[in-house]
Amino acid sequence: MAADEHLPSGITSESMALESAQALLLQLASSLSSQGQNPDTPNTTPPDAAARYRTLVEQIPAVIFMAFLDQGFSEAYVSPHIETVLGFTQEEWLHDPVRWYNQIHPDDRTRWSIEAAQLVLSGRPLRSVYRVIANDGRVVWFHCEVKLVRTENGRPWFLHGTAFDMTDLKQTEIALQESRDELEMRVRERTAELAEANRELQREIAERKRAESGLAHAVQELTRSNADLEQFAYSASHDLQEPLRMVSIYSQMLQRGLGDDFSTTADQCVGYIAAGAKRMERQLADLRTFIRASTTGEEAGHEADAENALSRALVSLTAAVEASGASITHAPLPKIGLHEFQLEQLFQNLIGNAICYRGQEPPQIHVCAERSGAEWKFSIRDNGIGIDPQYKDQIFGIFKRLHGSDHHQGTGMGLAICQRIVERAGGRIWVESEPGRGSTFSFTLPA
């Protein structure tokens, strides 16, 4: 338990030491002064009492000092603790009347002079902190408390006080302040770094926004350009159909009108013209279908019945089915979220493709569907001539054909149309096949 815990509230061991020192100094001052030195105060203290008081003062762990004012602020007494703190003996300190002043730190002397003068003039106790230069050059911090003692008739008689060494406390305080200053400096530096980083981030954000704005503008221009190209392609395919139809009609009329007078070579040439016109007409029709599959955005919100779509597709393929003797079967088919026209186009092109690329046997075609998570997988399986695996990606290109038109009719657009419809709906399409063993075209659509 600390010693202060036994003391009354508000009283500490340091304050008791200070009060004791001051009381003892009064007694010591009386013993040190004589009638000749101060005729206003009689010397009534016995010599043995002075020695007792001096002994008690010297036990206090602080520098106790006393200075008579009628002797020009020269110190009349200093306790031996001066040697422990500053390295001067009592004799060295008191031998030089102005040593105490010279040892005050140069930066504190003016303040000491002002505060000492205020003490003498006002009589109020002096409490302050001063730096004192030790004998070895060290700077020692003292907390000083000084009081003025007057004679019975009110004249200033002497000063008495105590000086506690607070160097360790002050050094800790200075170190703490330096740490605080360093921390504040680091905070300022870090704040400046963060502010610069924030400014750089803002610049990057602004630059990115400008880039995004430019990209959005480019996308807008590209979209507009694509729309213009699609419109042009659709218009061109539509407008070219009429002159091609006229070429086909008049070629046939010419062939029928001339009859037997028409040479074999001329008849063959007109036949080529008519066949070419019909083939171009089919290509333009398929091109319009492809463009429609690329631009139609009506699938959202629609629900197509796959069985109805398959039935309509088979109606469109009636002539091809009858001519080839194809047998087409299907498993139960679901309803899906797709425009029914597009689903009909898928079935028509894939089944038509299976009929077109048949082998020696009549086509056997089966359509089925199975649920797989959040999508439906449709498959169209045939027993046709098959496809070399190296061409499984190439066949989905626009106007891509693996066989000449003299062997198999078609424009090379059917599978490209299928791929465009499926991908726009968020699905995928692929083929599994081997030459001579038929093919299975599969595609997925969201459920």
Side-chain angles (χ1 to χ4, degrees):
M1 179 178 295
D4 290 352
E5 295 181 7
H6 297 289
L7 300 177
S9 177
I11 300 178
T12 63
S13 57
E14 182 178 302
S15 62
M16 289 186 64
L18 177 61
E19 292 174 0
S20 300
Q22 291 170 346
L24 292 172
L25 276 173
L26 288 174
Q27 296 292 337
L28 185 60
S30 298
S31 67
L32 289 176
S33 73
S34 63
Q35 290 292 338
Q37 292 171 326
N38 191 343
D40 295 327
T41 304
N43 184 7
T44 59
T45 304
D48 57 342
R52 184 170 65 252
Y53 292 140
R54 186 189 299 270
T55 299
L56 290 173
V57 167
E58 292 175 353
Q59 302 306 311
I60 297 174
V63 177
I64 311 299
F65 60 91
M66 181 175 63
F68 287 102
L69 298 179
D70 58 355
Q71 300 178 19
F73 271 109
S74 61
E75 286 193 273
Y77 175 78
V78 65
S79 64
H81 195 64
I82 190 75
E83 185 171 359
T84 302
V85 180
L86 296 179
F88 293 99
T89 65
Q90 286 178 292
E91 291 74 16
E92 289 174 334
W93 190 264
L94 296 174
H95 179 73
D96 186 349
V98 294
R99 180 181 292 280
W100 63 271
Y101 184 79
N102 290 335
Q103 296 304 123
I104 296 176
H105 194 284
D107 294 342
D108 292 350
R109 288 173 188 169
T110 300
R111 182 165 58 84
W112 154 256
S113 299
I114 295 173
E115 292 175 350
Q118 292 174 344
L119 166 66
V120 174
L121 293 175
S122 66
R124 289 193 295 271
L126 182 154
R127 292 181 177 85
S128 192
V129 176
Y130 303 102
R131 289 168 291 180
V132 179
I133 309 300
N135 197 14
D136 59 2
R138 292 178 297 109
V139 175
V140 180
W141 292 79
F142 282 107
H143 173 75
C144 299
E145 297 205 12
V146 185
K147 287 187 177 181
L148 172 68
V149 178
R150 298 180 182 273
T151 62
E152 292 180 353
N153 59 9
R155 288 191 304 118
W157 181 13
F158 65 89
L159 300 177
H160 66 89
T162 56
F164 292 95
D165 181 3
M166 58 175 298
T167 303
D168 292 342
L169 177 62
K170 199 65 181 179
Q171 288 176 344
T172 301
E173 180 182 329
I174 292 173
L176 182 61
Q177 184 61 44
E178 289 175 349
S179 298
R180 186 183 296 111
D181 293 342
E182 182 179 359
L183 178 60
E184 290 178 354
M185 181 184 68
R186 291 184 178 180
V187 168
R188 287 193 297 270
E189 291 176 350
R190 184 56 178 161
T191 301
E193 291 175 359
L194 290 175
E196 178 59 29
N198 184 60
R199 286 191 293 270
E200 182 63 27
L201 179 60
Q202 293 300 323
R203 285 193 292 268
E204 290 180 2
I205 291 174
E207 184 63 28
R208 180 168 297 180
K209 285 182 177 179
R210 285 193 294 271
E212 289 175 352
S213 177
L215 180 60
H217 179 71
V219 169
Q220 184 179 5
E221 288 297 312
L222 182 59
T223 302
R224 184 187 60 79
S225 177
N226 285 342
D228 292 342
L229 288 173
E230 288 169 355
Q231 182 63 35
F232 170 77
Y234 191 85
S235 298
S237 65
H238 181 273
D239 294 342
L240 285 172
Q241 254 193 324
E242 185 59 25
L244 286 172
R245 192 171 66 86
M246 296 301 293
V247 169
S248 178
I249 291 174
Y250 285 107
S251 295
Q252 293 174 11
M253 290 176 62
L254 180 61
Q255 196 173 27
R256 287 196 300 270
L258 293 176
D260 295 336
D261 296 332
F262 210 57
S263 67
T264 303
T265 303
D267 183 63
Q268 188 178 23
C269 290
V270 171
Y272 288 153
I273 293 173
K278 288 182 179 180
R279 186 161 175 266
M280 288 185 68
E281 189 174 0
R282 288 197 302 270
Q283 285 182 329
L284 290 173
D286 285 345
L287 180 59
R288 285 202 309 277
T289 303
F290 179 80
I291 294 172
R292 186 176 178 184
S294 301
T295 58
T296 298
E298 301 174 352
E299 57 270 18
H302 285 268
E303 186 178 62
D305 187 322
E307 294 200 13
N308 290 341
L310 176 60
S311 297
R312 283 196 297 273
L314 293 178
V315 170
S316 299
L317 294 169
T318 299
V321 171
E322 292 178 352
S324 63
S327 172
I328 301 172
T329 59
H330 69 87
L333 301 177
K335 294 181 179 180
I336 60 171
L338 186 69
H339 198 283
E340 203 159 280
F341 165 79
Q342 294 180 325
L343 188 55
E344 180 184 340
Q345 287 292 310
L346 284 171
F347 287 138
Q348 183 176 330
N349 281 291
L350 292 174
I351 294 173
N353 193 72
I355 293 173
C356 180
Y357 294 96
R358 62 185 180 272
Q360 298 297 325
E361 299 295 326
Q364 300 291 323
I365 303 169
H366 182 70
V367 181
C368 63
E370 61 176 334
R371 181 73 177 263
S372 178
E375 62 184 13
W376 281 97
K377 175 187 174 185
F378 290 81
S379 297
I380 293 88
R381 185 177 67 251
D382 66 57
N383 61 341
I385 62 175
I387 304 169
D388 192 319
Q390 65 177 314
Y391 300 119
K392 65 179 182 178
D393 295 323
Q394 179 181 336
I395 59 175
F396 291 101
I398 300 175
F399 298 122
K400 294 296 184 180
R401 295 170 53 88
L402 301 183
H403 307 278
S405 59
D406 52 340
H407 293 94
H408 299 279
Q409 294 182 353
T411 62
M413 289 290 293
L415 294 179
I417 292 172
C418 291
Q419 184 182 49
R420 184 60 59 92
I421 292 174
V422 170
E423 290 182 350
R424 277 184 58 81
R428 54 195 178 88
I429 185 170
W430 68 97
V431 63
E432 297 172 358
S433 180
E434 291 182 17
R437 303 188 65 178
S439 303
T440 299
F441 281 86
S442 302
F443 62 88
T444 62
L445 292 173

